[in-house]
Amino acid sequence: MYIILLGAPGAGKGTQAVEVARELKLAHIATGDMFREAQKQGTALGLKAREYMEKGKLVPDEITVAMLLERISKPDCRQGVIFDGFPRTLAQAEALDKALEKQGKAIDEVVYIKVADEELMKRLSGRWICRQCQSPYHKITSPPKVEGKCDRCGGELYQRDDDKPATISERLKVFFAQTAPLIDYYTRTGKLVEVNGVGSVDNVRKGTLTALRREAAGRK
Ligand code: AMP
């Protein structure tokens, strides 16, 4: 199964992708995580990506698509993938379709996790993430048991540079201008299913899995 999780920054794609990948035994590919890892390693890719990420802009398609295509050629992707944060532009969506087609595969479902704008702003500005295992927390809605420490692995929590207010509004603007057109793109191919992203992580997870199973059953 090849599944895309689509949603604005802060919609909960990352959290849901981890859960769904575990449940359906799919590889989880998050391009944002890949760029952050490249930055941590200090590679040329990481340095280039930083120029865009710190401004809340998208990394150019050429760079992002090349990185993604290399990643999906790895053996762990053969059984299926959940894409989190990719594609984010029409050009990326088309490049992914073309690459999968060459392997006789195709995107099966696209889940659009929908959350209202004011809620997105609130979520992003209170978000803290574990440096080690990437688990997300929120200072009001899901605080860690011990301040600054991850409940799961004890790692240090940090606020992403691009979760600062000025960058957040730029990221939301970029989403509506460049990524939202993908909602139409996948609606046209009959692959889009919308899930309400407001509610507990568990409820959204259940909604996502139910939608995926319903769509899969409908195609049989
Ligand atoms: P995320 O962790 O998905 O919120 O991504 C963080 C940042 O990484 C984005 O604001 C972009 O600057 C960059 N990024 C991640 N995925 C993509 C993508 N598919 N295309 C372009 N830029 C991306």
Side-chain angles (χ1 to χ4, degrees):
M1 260 189 132
Y2 291 83
I3 298 167
I4 293 170
L5 283 194
L6 203 59
K13 293 187 301 295
T15 311
Q16 293 303 325
V18 170
E19 305 272 337
V20 175
R22 193 182 303 142
E23 191 104 6
L24 302 180
K25 300 191 174 47
L26 303 173
H28 170 206
I29 299 184
T31 40
D33 287 350
M34 292 173 78
F35 285 134
R36 279 184 289 278
E37 183 57 31
Q39 281 177 35
K40 212 156 84 184
Q41 308 286 332
T43 64
L45 171 74
L47 290 178
K48 191 82 206 149
R50 186 195 299 270
E51 285 174 32
Y52 299 91
M53 290 170 78
E54 65 188 11
K55 295 189 194 107
K57 306 260 186 229
L58 293 185
V59 178
D61 287 338
E62 210 180 77
I63 299 174
T64 310
V65 168
M67 176 181 80
L68 190 278
L69 294 188
E70 210 231 89
R71 177 67 187 88
I72 60 170
S73 69
K74 300 265 161 69
D76 67 317
C77 294
R78 280 193 208 128
Q79 296 310 313
V81 173
I82 180 135
F83 295 97
D84 159 12
F86 185 96
R88 266 175 149 103
T89 64
L90 275 174
Q92 291 180 14
E94 285 163 2
L96 178 61
D97 281 349
K98 222 153 105 194
L100 290 176
E101 200 183 316
K102 269 197 198 148
Q103 303 175 25
K105 294 171 178 155
I107 292 296
D108 295 286
E109 302 300 339
V110 181
V111 179
Y112 172 42
I113 305 182
K114 195 170 178 183
V115 173
D117 302 8
E118 320 79 73
E119 173 73 15
L120 293 170
M121 195 74 191
K122 225 180 343 180
R123 286 186 183 186
L124 289 166
S125 52
R127 181 159 80 168
W128 288 80
I129 293 174
C130 173
R131 231 180 249 293
Q132 241 160 261
C133 72
Q134 319 302 324
S135 293
Y137 293 87
H138 190 278
K139 69 175 185 209
I140 295 160
T141 54
S142 56
K145 291 194 187 100
V146 178
E147 200 183 309
K149 261 199 166 175
C150 177
D151 294 350
R152 290 194 187 134
C153 73
E156 179 204 0
L157 302 186
Y158 78 106
Q159 187 173 39
R160 278 170 44 174
D161 284 342
D162 59 353
D163 279 347
K164 311 272 159 70
T167 322
I168 291 174
S169 51
E170 180 60 27
R171 288 167 63 210
L172 291 175
K173 238 193 272 166
V174 165
F175 171 80
F176 289 106
Q178 291 179 266
T179 309
L182 294 182
I183 297 168
D184 274 351
Y185 179 79
Y186 290 116
T187 301
R188 267 187 269 124
T189 55
K191 291 181 175 167
L192 193 97
V193 42
E194 192 174 301
V195 168
N196 177 11
V198 183
S200 68
V201 169
D202 204 43
N203 273 342
V204 179
R205 180 184 66 91
K206 283 184 191 139
T208 304
L209 287 169
T210 307
L212 284 171
R213 291 193 179 115
R214 196 171 46 225
E215 292 293 312
R219 275 183 293 112
K220 274 188 190 146

